[in-house]
Amino acid sequence: MSGDQDRVSQDVELERTRARYGLLAVVISNLAIAAVAVFGVWQLDGDTSVIIGVLTAAFTAVSSMTTAYLGIKAVSNTAKSIVSSAAAATHATTPHPAPTTSPTTPAPAAPTPPAQRAQ
């Protein structure tokens, strides 16, 4: 039993590490995008049409990266939950083999097809 608990604790710790570094990667990427956008706006010297384009692109990149991370994380958590509940259900029920019975009477013969009409 302790082997199962040890394995579960290792899986939980691995998942925490993955979540921590995945979130860290997203945050660092978002900060880098924001820094490049701020630098680009600073270099444009007030050209509003280009500034709007740069800020729109930066916002789109940040929001799509964050949404992708959260979506992938949610799907991963859901899949792990389904797998663990299915494994628990499999271990909880012990399958009983179906009784095998041999037929006492032979199977009936296939019926003969109707005769063909002559033309």
Side-chain angles (χ1 to χ4, degrees):
M1 185 74 170
S2 67
D4 288 340
Q5 289 175 344
D6 190 38
R7 182 174 162 255
V8 169
S9 66
Q10 286 176 350
D11 288 346
V12 168
E13 189 61 34
L14 177 64
E15 187 59 34
R16 278 190 189 142
T17 303
R18 285 181 181 171
R20 187 175 296 132
Y21 285 111
L23 184 61
L24 182 65
V26 169
V27 168
I28 289 172
S29 299
N30 288 346
L31 289 175
I33 292 168
V36 169
V38 166
F39 180 75
V41 168
W42 176 61
Q43 290 293 320
L44 290 173
D45 294 327
D47 189 4
T48 57
S49 62
V50 178
I51 289 174
I52 291 172
V54 167
L55 292 178
T56 301
F59 178 76
T60 302
V62 166
S63 63
S64 63
M65 183 174 302
T66 304
T67 303
Y69 171 75
L70 294 175
I72 291 168
K73 187 69 180 148
V75 169
S76 173
N77 289 344
T78 302
K80 285 183 187 218
S81 172
I82 289 171
V83 167
S84 66
S85 65
T90 301
H91 291 307
T93 60
T94 55
H96 299 292
T100 57
T101 58
S102 60
T104 57
T105 59
T112 58
Q116 298 291 323
R117 280 195 256 172
Q119 291 184 343

